[in-house]
Amino acid sequence: ERAAEEAAGRRYMRTLDEQRSRTKNRMALASWDYQSNITDYNQERQLQVALEVADQDKEAWKETMTYLWHEFEDPDLKRMFEKYSKLGTAALPEDLNQRLISAINNMQATYAKATICDYKDRTKCDLRVEPEITEIFVESSDAEELKYTWLEWHKAAGAASKADFIEYVNMYNEAAKLNGYDSVAEWWLSEYEESDSEEQFAALWDQVKPLYQQIHAYVRRHLRLFYGDQVVSAKGPIPAHLLGNIWAQSWNNLEKFTRPFPDKPDVDVTAALINQNYTALKIFKTAEEFFVSLNLSGMPDLFWERSIIEKPQDGRDMVCHASAWDFFDGEDFRIKQCTTITSAFFKTTHHEMGHIQYYLQYKDLPVIYRAGANPGFHEAVGDVISLSVDTPKHLRVMGLLEDGPDDLESNINQLYKMGIDKIVFLPFAYLLDLFRYGVFRGTISEEDYNCHFWQLRETLQGVEPPAPRSEQDFDPAAKYHISADVEYMRYYISYIIQFQFHRSLCELAGEYTSGETERLLSNCDIYNSTEAGNALGKMLQLGSSKSWPDAMEALTGQRKMDASGVLEYFQPLYEWLKTENERTGEYIGWEPSTVQYC
Ligand SMILES: C=C(C[SeH])C(=O)N1CCC[C@H]1C(=O)O
Ligand SMILES: [Zn+2]
């Protein structure tokens, strides 16, 4: 009897997966049309498709739940049923689902359309976050211009979305409860499959915090030397507008005037990309070539036909934030980004193509398994490639970096450049979802959203707002992922596990042996290594068909996320920073902020 039921379940699963492929394809196409051309018509159409798809998913779910899949013997069939048993936001009554979708679409549109006036020319009021505001944070060292731009952006894209965000939280929490979760926080955490995920995330932060504090102290010193101690204090948090990035999430743009050994050759490739007439297409082809060198897949023809790799000049409104799309038909995969010829986009292109590579590697799995082993895995693929691309050795192979010495000072400069991108990002990413867990759980009430956000920014990141804040502000929504309903813990996890992956791939490529001292993990380049590429491909082909510890074990032999990879990679920098901060008597950590924000 049970065997017959299980056989019926297996047949049913095949038809259900076929249907899910079509509904996800329809949903992706409608969302693509909306996000690549924001009009009322496209927003309305996206909403209609979303509601129709929700209805179809709900009907299918009712049938799925008639199967006694808990008693099935086949663990794989059980895993598929278990995943299909999570209905998601389609569990909401249609009117509440419509309010949820509209709240998210409104926030997306507000963020994508937000413009501010230029600091120097107040009549020029068409500046958007990409490319204009991003460019100001790359180029400007005028504290007043940076402060003005920061405040204007946070008003235009943050405060403007507070009402929609509150609606979003309420509707989303309703959906969570209908799916058996106390709040959205537990739902998001369930993607990491282990009951102690929150404790694991906190333990990772404890492991890397000492290294972050050393970088923070060093950077604060050099900002104080540059801007003066009236702008940057000796012991307080760092003002958020001086860190080369509108969200202070990565501090790459400080490299040129804060690097430990300034008289070494410049390592930023932007100038070289421009001098060598790189176009967006050439950046994409270069990234593709790295994956092919690893015996992984090149981009299909459809990818080149349908991707949007530069902002169209027809004056349309679109979501410029870079994204990679799976249309779940096994053939259609696209990137949408507003590429500019910069080192930042050189990295972002590898990041997005890492998503596409994952889609390609698992495209023949059942649709329900076409996802990362956990969300952090998907964000790590492209970055792992970039860890090889960003080495002086590889950049020289590419002709993007002039020749230079391979001495300790150059290695420290290289580690510093990576540290103000990767280590600095960790507290930012961690706090973004600590904030949202609190919001979804109600431990952070809407009367003090902004106050709590900045308390997290101060305690975890040692950063303070450039001016007093109030509850008329809503600074979190000035970050794309908050306005676009994109979970963020995935990036925190990615920036930890990508170093575990990198270490294993470097050993497979014969570029490094864990614990050796002759070669540094930070100088490893896996380019052209089919051993490394085949191992990476095997892990990616698993999709979410196995638990993430199984997937991680396939590549690294470890079943735990841990910061051992990060700490091994940055060890020489950590030693150097401790010595340097002691030499200069720098205060490690930060005293409470004197800026009024609660
Ligand atoms: C490039 C993407 C698209 Se998945 C992105 O959002 N990233 C990549 C780095 C962290 C995060 C961000 O920009 O905040
Ligand atoms: Zn990504």
Side-chain angles (χ1 to χ4, degrees), residues 214 573-585:
Q214 292 294 328
L573 178 68
Y574 184 48
E575 297 307 325
W576 185 86
L577 285 168
K578 281 191 291 186
T579 307
E580 174 66 4
N581 285 330
E582 236 161 73
R583 181 182 71 80
T584 59

Side-chain angles (χ1 to χ4, degrees), residues 322-324 351-352 355 378-380 383 481 490-491:
S323 56
H351 176 93
E352 295 309 328
H355 288 298
H378 233 297
E379 299 306 333
D383 282 14
H481 300 67
R490 65 185 62 176
Y491 299 102

Side-chain angles (χ1 to χ4, degrees), residues 14-28:
R14 259 197 293 282
T15 54
L16 178 61
D17 212 62
E18 247 303 296
Q19 182 204 344
R20 179 56 66 94
S21 166
R22 284 193 301 279
T23 53
K24 289 184 79 132
N25 176 260
R26 276 195 71 214
M27 191 66 246

Side-chain angles (χ1 to χ4, degrees), residues 27 43-44 46-58 87-106 164 167-176 178-179 187 485:
M27 191 66 246
Q43 179 164 344
E44 184 55 33
Q46 193 266 357
L47 171 62
Q48 285 319 313
V49 169
L51 294 173
E52 280 167 34
V53 161
D55 214 34
Q56 289 165 338
D57 287 353
K58 195 181 293 189
L87 180 50
T89 53
L92 283 170
E94 182 164 283
D95 61 332
L96 298 188
N97 198 18
Q98 169 155 345
R99 286 171 56 185
L100 173 61
I101 295 164
S102 299
I104 296 168
N105 283 343
N106 292 344
D164 280 322
E167 168 86 336
Y168 154 81
V169 171
N170 293 330
M171 294 300 110
Y172 212 175
N173 267 333
E174 265 318 296
L178 289 170
N179 280 270
W187 186 356
D485 174 36

Side-chain angles (χ1 to χ4, degrees), residues 6 10 14 42 80 153-154 174 215 227 296 344 372 393 408 429 434 448:
E6 189 155 337
R10 190 168 286 106
R14 259 197 293 282
N42 284 340
M80 285 196 271
W153 171 251
H154 282 78
E174 265 318 296
I215 292 180
Y227 286 107
L296 291 171
K393 174 165 59 173
L408 175 68
L434 286 184
D448 43 30

Side-chain angles (χ1 to χ4, degrees), residues 485-503:
D485 174 36
V486 178
E487 184 257 9
Y488 210 82
M489 202 55 86
R490 65 185 62 176
Y491 299 102
Y492 174 71
I493 294 306
S494 159
Y495 277 51
I496 297 282
I497 62 178
Q498 65 185 246
F499 289 92
Q500 289 174 266
F501 297 164
H502 183 58
R503 178 174 54 191

